[in-house]
Amino acid sequence: NYWNAASFITSSSYLHFSTFQGETSADISFYFKTSASDGVFLENLGNTDFIKLELKSATEVSFSFDVGNGPVEIIVRSPNQLNDDQWHRVNAERNVKQASLQVDQLPLEVRKAPTEGHTRLELYSQLYVGAAGGQRGFLGCIRSLRMNGVTLDLEERAKVTPGVKPGCSGHCTSYGMYCANGGKCVEKYNGYSCDCSKTAYDGPFCIKDVGAFFEEGMWLRYNFHSPGTSMKDLVSRTLLSSTDPDTTATDLNLNKEELSFSFSTTKSPCVLLYISSYTQDFMAVLVKPSGNLQIRYSLGGTKEPYNIDIDHRNMANGQPHTVNITRNERDIVLQLDHYPPTSYSLPTASDIQFNSPKALFLGKVIEIGKIDQDIYKYNTPGFTGCLSRVQFNQIAPLKAALRPTNASSHVHIQGELVESNCGASPLTIPPMSAATDPWHLDSASADFPYNGQALGDGVNRNSAIIGGVIAVVIFTILCTLVFLIRYMFRHKGTYHTNEAKGAESAESADAAIMNNDPNFTETIDESKKEWLI
């Protein structure tokens, strides 16, 4: 019922329902969305009585009625435009004591009913939603129309009514922001959905990471062209163009790239990602033997590739890390995890076009032709760890491999690719300042936690804590032993027996019993009998 909606496509369009039964009380609520400045939402007439809700202007909603005492009108004025093609809620109520109108979260407008006069609203005509009696009807969408607790089926009636369409287009205007990470909002019959096909994410709102675990020696190749494609169409502009239409490649060359992914590993060196070409151009993201990250560009014009070295952070620590690289011609912006972005620039002699991209490799480079020597050294044994949400412009190679899509034919895998999100979540630790970051290059004045006096103070403090803990443990053991000893010996000392009185002066035990119990003799005499055979 929340999405039960109808679209009024002309100002003369309307839906009709049975007469509204609201003689003594009326409770009407609905949502509307429009770009028009005025129009009637609904109206029901009697001989002289009536009830009507309308958009009087771009900032005014009116609730008017007549129960026989003369017309009454309540107006809510909004400080903002109501014809902004956004959803707005209207709630109108009327009873024998008062009437009220509220729009969105604006203050409630209330009008008291007269103490004397008519109180019953007598209506005879059909209820019209939209245009009625030649008036200019509402142009836009109405949904979730409830009258005295009953939801009117706008969609079903709109299916058989000309000028009105079931459902309501434009949900994305209000809810499109929930499609995250570049997901595209798609209008649906009774709502919306998020198209995640051109993102590295999955799920209803494009927020679920798609990643995989790579074993040693495993690799993935994504070909930018399909088998059998002509040389003229080797690189698909649809695939390689980013979300910005201005970044579309011309003549198989790229002036701009957007690369993002997440990874985690404990082994170095390795090749995380490599993009080859039909020329000598390439781009690579590497983990050096020291565990530091390196981004390498070779676009021609220079003898050696242009390297960006991140030498002050160990990225092979088993923790998930995110990498975002954006290049716009000569300008490169790199962001690692939650640290601020850093800007770099290609050398003046370097070309600014990535010529004829061929394939994207993950985990290892298996390419015909000459390969950079450092990349060749880092290529063995290969990457071991997790890669997640890999996206190059609008290409998501891991998602294409793990989800059946039209791009799956571009993927070739060596080894068993196991889906995993182990490299999905980046570190959420806020970045440290340069003065306190021990990995910062200029942190000579930083206070390292294990040098000089800091180490001695730390040892003394730790020793005090350990000594206190040991003392508490010993005290607890002693208390427990004392309690046990007292418990074991509390019954020792005086004890009681059933020894007969006078046993001290009697000649024997039997005599003592006989002295103590006079009846004992009789008992013996009666029970003792001898027989001679």
Side-chain angles (χ1 to χ4, degrees), residues 32-259:
F32 77 93
K33 180 171 65 172
T34 183
S35 57
S37 58
D38 58 75
V40 177
F41 295 124
L42 59 88
E43 185 177 39
N44 206 156
L45 303 175
N47 288 336
T48 57
D49 295 0
F50 72 91
I51 187 169
K52 181 169 68 173
L53 277 160
E54 67 176 320
L55 181 67
K56 296 204 72 171
S57 71
T59 58
E60 294 179 326
V61 174
S62 167
F63 175 38
S64 58
F65 58 90
D66 188 354
V67 297
N69 302 319
V72 177
E73 184 178 33
I74 305 174
I75 297 177
V76 171
R77 293 178 173 86
S78 171
N80 302 316
Q81 298 287 318
L82 298 175
N83 61 340
D84 56 354
D85 207 27
Q86 300 290 326
W87 286 112
H88 299 281
R89 189 175 189 271
V90 177
N91 188 27
E93 297 184 26
R94 181 247 160 209
N95 53 44
V96 296
K97 294 184 178 180
Q98 66 180 25
S100 63
L101 175 66
Q102 186 174 27
V103 178
D104 294 333
Q105 301 299 320
L106 296 174
L108 182 71
E109 293 289 337
V110 180
R111 183 73 56 85
K112 296 290 185 181
T115 56
E116 298 180 357
H118 300 282
T119 58
R120 297 179 64 85
L121 180 64
E122 298 179 352
L123 305 173
Y124 301 104
S125 72
Q126 291 182 317
L127 170 67
Y128 291 91
V129 180
Q135 302 180 79
R136 177 180 174 83
F138 175 73
L139 191 65
C141 296
I142 296 178
R143 68 173 171 87
S144 190
L145 174 58
R146 294 174 60 88
M147 304 190 70
N148 281 355
V150 178
T151 301
L152 301 186
D153 195 346
L154 302 177
E155 289 188 356
E156 194 65 29
R157 189 59 59 92
K159 292 178 182 178
V160 295
T161 305
V164 185
K165 292 184 177 181
C168 184
S169 61
H171 301 101
C172 292
T173 305
S174 300
Y175 302 98
M177 77 284 293
Y178 295 115
C179 297
N181 299 309
K184 182 181 179 182
C185 184
V186 179
E187 296 289 346
K188 304 291 285 186
Y189 176 73
N190 58 350
Y192 71 99
S193 66
C194 297
D195 180 9
C196 312
S197 60
K198 294 185 178 180
T199 74
Y201 295 82
D202 203 356
F205 301 104
C206 307
I207 58 175
K208 180 183 177 182
D209 296 86
V210 178
F213 180 79
F214 283 69
E215 295 181 347
E216 187 176 289
M218 180 181 173
W219 52 272
L220 180 149
R221 182 181 69 228
Y222 185 98
N223 297 313
F224 295 139
H225 64 91
S226 300
T229 306
S230 63
M231 284 298 295
K232 183 177 181 180
D233 298 323
L234 281 177
V235 181
S236 170
R237 297 181 183 182
T238 303
L239 290 176
L240 285 178
S241 61
S242 70
T243 54
D244 184 358
D246 294 335
T247 63
T248 302
T250 302
D251 297 331
L252 312 182
N253 300 326
L254 290 175
N255 292 323
K256 304 177 182 180
E257 303 100 35
E258 297 175 7
L259 173 65

Side-chain angles (χ1 to χ4, degrees), residues 22-40:
E23 287 82 1
T24 58
S25 65
D27 184 2
I28 306 171
S29 64
F30 60 91
Y31 292 85
F32 77 93
K33 180 171 65 172
T34 183
S35 57
S37 58
D38 58 75
V40 177

Side-chain angles (χ1 to χ4, degrees), residues 281-317:
D281 293 357
F282 71 88
M283 173 189 178
V285 182
L286 316 169
V287 177
K288 298 194 296 184
S290 59
N292 304 134
L293 197 70
Q294 182 183 79
I295 291 88
R296 182 169 293 197
Y297 267 100
S298 178
L299 302 183
T302 57
K303 294 183 178 180
E304 298 294 333
Y306 174 69
N307 299 331
I308 299 174
D309 294 303
I310 313 299
D311 291 332
H312 54 286
R313 290 187 181 93
N314 179 18
M315 308 297 282
N317 57 1

Side-chain angles (χ1 to χ4, degrees), residues 437-440 443-452 454-455:
D437 187 355
W439 297 105
H440 196 272
S443 59
S445 60
D447 293 331
F448 284 80
Y450 300 106
N451 64 348
L455 181 62

